[in-house]
Amino acid sequence: MQASWQSTLRGVCLASGLSLGLWASAHATTPADQLAAYSAQVGAAANPARGQQFFTSKHGKDWACASCHTAVPTVDGKHASTGKVIGPLAPAFNPERFTDTAKTEKWFRRNCNDVVGRECTAGEKADVLAWLTSLKR
């Protein structure tokens, strides 16, 4: 009876550990990993020039990504509506950027709705991220 209980406890601990590990790996990432994931969804390599064009252009709404993040997002930006300071978006200038999958998706979803009026496609995200990661010190 005791061996069965210990076996069950071991199984629960193992499952909890695996769940925690899967959760952590789903959220902690690198910009390169996220770029690879978006590119894999599209089935093609990202295009940094297309990402820059997307980032700096308006898409039928009042704002472009650059409205808040500046046209060269290696410096602080400022929210176009609230005036809140926004840290640099390019990962080389802000190492915390694109290191959490959930945060990345949250901000892409929110900001794409503001700028484009819909969620961005995986290809658009890949292109923008390819451009942002190409910006170096």
Side-chain angles (χ1 to χ4, degrees):
M1 181 73 134
Q2 186 175 4
S4 175
W5 187 85
Q6 288 175 333
S7 176
T8 301
L9 182 59
R10 231 179 281 134
V12 168
C13 290
L14 180 60
S16 297
L18 286 173
S19 295
L20 184 60
L22 290 173
W23 179 85
S25 68
H27 292 282
T29 188
T30 66
D33 289 341
Q34 292 200 52
L35 175 57
Y38 291 135
S39 295
Q41 287 178 33
V42 176
N47 181 321
R50 202 170 44 215
Q52 181 181 15
Q53 177 70 30
F54 184 90
F55 191 88
T56 56
S57 300
K58 291 184 178 179
H59 303 272
K61 303 216 54 155
D62 293 337
W63 296 345
C65 304
S67 300
C68 298
H69 294 287
T70 77
V72 182
T74 58
V75 295
D76 285 347
K78 190 165 74 173
H79 192 276
S81 177
T82 66
K84 179 183 172 190
V85 173
I86 302 169
L89 191 57
F93 297 84
N94 187 346
E96 292 182 17
R97 294 291 189 185
F98 305 102
T99 58
D100 182 310
T101 304
K103 269 188 179 178
T104 299
E105 284 303 310
K106 170 189 163 186
W107 287 110
F108 263 130
R109 183 175 41 258
R110 187 176 292 178
N111 293 339
C112 287
N113 278 324
D114 288 343
V115 171
V116 187
R118 60 170 170 74
E119 289 195 31
C120 290
T121 66
E124 291 164 339
K125 293 174 192 176
D127 290 345
V128 167
L129 191 51
W131 176 59
L132 291 172
T133 56
S134 76
L135 301 173
K136 304 292 182 197
R137 290 185 178 267

